[in-house]
Amino acid sequence: MESSGLLAVLALALLPSLGNLLGVALAEWRKPPEWLVGGALHAAAGIATAVAAIELIPRSQERIETWLLVVALIVGAICSASIAKATRKIRDRMGSAAGRSTTWGAYAAVGVDLLTDGLMTGGGGAVARELGLLLALSQVAGNLPGGFAIAANFRSAKIPRGRRLSALAIYPLLPVIGALAGYTILAGAGGFLTGFVLAVFAGLLLTATIEDIVPEADQPEAKRRISSPSFALGFGALLLTSAYLGR
């Protein structure tokens, strides 16, 4: 395991938490207009879809048979559903234990999401540095609403600013831990394992995008003249970035 490669991937793993921290800063400042939230989330959905379609699936096809790729996509979808179910249970149990709203449960759920983001970044970075970068960048916009929501919930629950900022400061560590695990699993792995895991990541990303990000993006009721171009812009931006990094 090259230490320089690992350090670079761990540095990339800080990007997913950047979206959360930007959302926190926004919540501490002011509430953004709904059309902007909806547009940003649709752009994030476009970026995530492009990562799966342009980077993960083609790289997987180079390494494993198509029928195995389909199996891995289904495994990824199941993993996505399992993660969503687990985070809901964490949110509900912690909120109930706190005897108040699910503020701390939602905080823990976002932490689980960041850990998963780091796992994908680390695994992708072990395959190719540019893939790790693209995976990390794809998660920045998608994580911004989560950071905003948690910080806003903390303020609504009247949690002191120092305490809530201390709690939120833990977030950047979680994707780094996940990236370390992902890098360790795929660094030097054979073609079969690499291709299968990349397809699992693709299934996880696509399912989370369709089942979680898009419905959340539609809640602010952003008009189609904003949401549709935003989705295409996100997809196109990732396509251009992928082409540039692949040179």
Side-chain angles (χ1 to χ4, degrees):
M1 181 185 300
E2 296 183 4
S3 59
S4 59
L6 175 59
L7 290 176
V9 169
L10 294 182
L12 290 178
L14 293 173
L15 288 175
S17 61
L18 176 62
N20 281 90
L21 296 179
L22 289 174
V24 169
L26 189 60
E28 293 291 332
W29 180 45
R30 64 172 62 179
K31 182 179 180 180
E34 290 191 344
W35 66 266
L36 181 59
V37 175
L41 283 172
H42 277 95
I47 291 171
T49 303
V51 169
I54 296 168
E55 289 291 335
L56 294 175
I57 292 178
R59 289 176 186 271
S60 179
Q61 283 181 309
E62 295 172 357
R63 294 170 169 85
I64 59 175
E65 297 290 336
T66 301
W67 70 271
L68 274 174
L69 191 155
V70 173
V71 171
L73 288 172
I74 295 172
V75 171
I78 294 172
C79 288
S80 177
S82 299
I83 292 171
K85 183 177 180 179
T87 54
R88 282 196 299 269
K89 285 185 176 181
I90 291 172
R91 182 176 63 245
D92 294 343
R93 288 180 180 179
M94 291 190 67
S96 176
R100 57 171 71 184
S101 67
T102 58
T103 298
W104 287 106
Y107 167 81
V110 170
V112 171
D113 184 58
L114 283 171
L115 197 65
T116 305
D117 291 345
L119 183 66
M120 288 193 292
T121 299
V127 176
R129 188 76 55 83
E130 64 270 19
L131 179 58
L133 175 59
L134 288 172
L135 282 166
L137 288 174
S138 71
Q139 295 151 5
V140 175
N143 288 342
L144 194 151
F148 178 86
I150 293 303
N153 285 346
F154 278 170
R155 293 186 68 178
S156 298
K158 297 182 179 180
I159 295 174
R161 185 175 187 181
R163 186 183 177 193
R164 65 178 184 256
L165 292 181
S166 297
L168 293 168
I170 297 174
Y171 275 165
L173 299 176
L174 299 177
V176 173
I177 295 171
L180 179 61
Y183 188 91
T184 302
I185 292 170
L186 287 187
F192 173 81
L193 178 60
T194 299
F196 193 86
V197 171
L198 290 180
V200 169
F201 287 166
L204 197 155
L205 262 181
L206 289 172
T207 305
T209 299
I210 299 302
E211 298 292 347
D212 299 320
I213 297 180
V214 172
E216 186 178 352
D218 288 336
Q219 286 182 6
E221 298 183 357
K223 297 184 181 300
R224 287 293 298 270
R225 67 172 181 267
I226 295 175
S227 62
S228 295
S230 295
F231 181 92
L233 180 62
F235 193 101
L238 194 285
L239 176 60
L240 289 173
T241 304
S242 175
Y244 175 78
L245 292 176
R247 290 179 182 177

